[in-house]
Amino acid sequence: MTSHPTTSTLAVDVVDGMERVSGAYPGYRRAHARGVCFDATFTPSGDAAGLTTAAHLQHERVPATVRFSNSNGSPHTLDGARAGRGMAVKFHLPDGTATDVVAVNLPVFLASTPENFLNLLGALEKDPVTGTTDPARVAAYIQRNPEAAAGFQAVATMPIPVSYGTARYWAIHAFEWTNAAGLRRFVRYRWEPGTGVHDLSEVDGTAQEPEYLTGELVRRLADGPVGFTLRVQLAEPGDPTDDATKEWPADREEIVAGHLEITAPVADQEHWAAEIFDPTRITDGIALSADPILAFRHDAYAVSYDRRSHNT
């Protein structure tokens, strides 16, 4: 089973806050509680090989495991709701190690620091009388943290996907690539669905089965693999690399790093449900940026893992 180091008090406070917002469900992740895993193969295009020495981005295909999920900490969130989705990919490298890309269907995050995220969770806590979030508290958070406005706008217009396989997913953080000559370049990742993006209306979303996305993807796979393209945006000098609330300009150069083909549900869902998909699990040729949210996610995931592994 995956091990993890001693975690910070702040990480405990954040996971406690997540439980107050979504509830505590023993045995489940504190975010992206309900998910399903699939076998996949990643075929690099070779276009990234001159920018990074990372093994999975050279020229040989590698196996991968993909977890699709709803972002909520409750496993009972309806698939037809306007809510976050996740696509986490674990690349199985030739040397027996792994590296992860963890992405969501939002281009930016809602907080620039772990402390701000803790404050956001406080603003999202439900009123004990009404059972709903107080819009005034959320508005006050945005007023104090205007960098969060773009993320909240993205949440308000978040699509309801026809399929897990027809949504777009962003890894939101910057990473630093290093090539064989030692040259460094900051990048951001985005998964583009091979079929294009296809959404449902709110009316059609509410008409779906509560967990329609899993069954839909399994049925879709009966007709053949479901594909995604890994697009990589390249930073220019001055682009923010330490703030997940800020997008880079749309005119930045992009490359296609490779193509992912999802083939079938994994044979052992219980095993993969217990695993951690961690954006800080990197490999040679890739380094973390100075984004404090990115580094903090490792500690928060470790707290969540400890609780769910002890069925608390």
Side-chain angles (χ1 to χ4, degrees):
M1 195 63 68
T2 306
S3 61
H4 54 75
T6 303
T7 55
S8 68
T9 300
L10 180 58
V12 172
D13 291 342
V14 163
V15 175
D16 286 346
M18 294 168 73
E19 291 180 357
R20 288 193 293 272
V21 171
S22 299
Y25 297 89
Y28 286 93
R29 288 168 167 81
R30 269 40 184 185
H32 296 268
R34 180 162 53 81
V36 61
C37 294
F38 295 84
D39 291 325
T41 300
F42 181 75
T43 304
S45 68
D47 291 351
L51 297 171
T52 174
T53 59
H56 61 302
L57 298 173
Q58 302 306 303
H59 302 283
E60 300 298 324
R61 64 178 56 187
V62 296
T65 304
V66 181
R67 184 178 190 263
F68 289 106
S69 61
N70 283 348
S71 65
N72 201 281
S74 168
H76 308 304
T77 299
L78 300 179
D79 279 355
R82 196 176 294 281
R85 323 286 170 182
M87 178 180 172
V89 181
K90 187 178 295 291
F91 301 88
H92 303 288
L93 305 181
D95 67 357
T97 64
T99 187
D100 299 346
V101 170
V102 179
V104 293
N105 62 332
L106 286 175
V108 291
F109 196 51
L110 302 171
S112 58
T113 67
E115 293 79 8
N116 283 357
F117 184 53
L118 181 60
N119 292 334
L120 170 60
L121 292 171
L124 293 174
E125 283 187 36
K126 294 178 175 60
D127 183 283
V129 176
T130 65
T132 60
T133 298
D134 182 354
R137 291 169 66 183
V138 176
Y141 171 83
I142 298 173
Q143 186 173 19
R144 292 191 302 270
N145 304 277
E147 72 278 4
F152 273 95
Q153 178 61 30
V155 168
T157 58
M158 186 180 289
I160 303 170
V162 168
S163 170
Y164 278 135
T166 67
R168 178 182 291 121
Y169 303 88
W170 290 264
I172 68 175
H173 305 288
F175 294 82
E176 188 180 49
W177 280 4
T178 303
N179 69 7
L183 298 177
R184 302 177 185 275
R185 190 78 178 266
F186 282 102
V187 301
R188 280 178 168 169
Y189 310 129
R190 183 177 80 253
W191 291 108
E192 289 284 348
T195 61
V197 174
H198 298 285
D199 305 325
L200 296 173
S201 67
E202 288 194 9
V203 172
D204 289 339
T206 58
Q208 303 301 313
E209 293 293 322
E211 299 182 12
Y212 78 91
L213 286 170
T214 298
E216 192 285 337
L217 186 52
V218 171
R219 290 190 296 274
R220 185 176 290 255
L221 287 169
D223 294 327
V226 171
F228 283 87
T229 296
L230 180 59
R231 298 195 65 90
V232 179
Q233 189 181 29
L234 308 180
E236 294 292 339
D239 289 340
T241 59
D242 61 352
D243 189 342
T245 67
K246 292 181 170 60
E247 288 189 270
W248 294 344
D251 63 358
R252 294 296 183 254
E253 180 186 357
E254 288 190 353
I255 65 168
V256 171
H259 303 278
L260 184 75
E261 282 198 333
I262 299 164
T263 54
V266 298
D268 191 346
Q269 289 289 342
E270 184 176 353
H271 167 79
W272 286 106
E275 289 297 299
I276 297 176
F277 292 78
D278 184 344
T280 70
R281 182 182 285 112
I282 52 178
T283 188
D284 290 346
I286 302 175
L288 304 182
S289 65
D291 184 340
I293 289 285
L294 174 58
F296 178 76
R297 287 175 72 173
H298 178 80
D299 283 357
Y301 285 20
V303 174
S304 173
Y305 173 81
D306 184 67
R307 294 183 185 185
R308 66 186 170 93
S309 64
H310 289 90
N311 206 37
T312 59

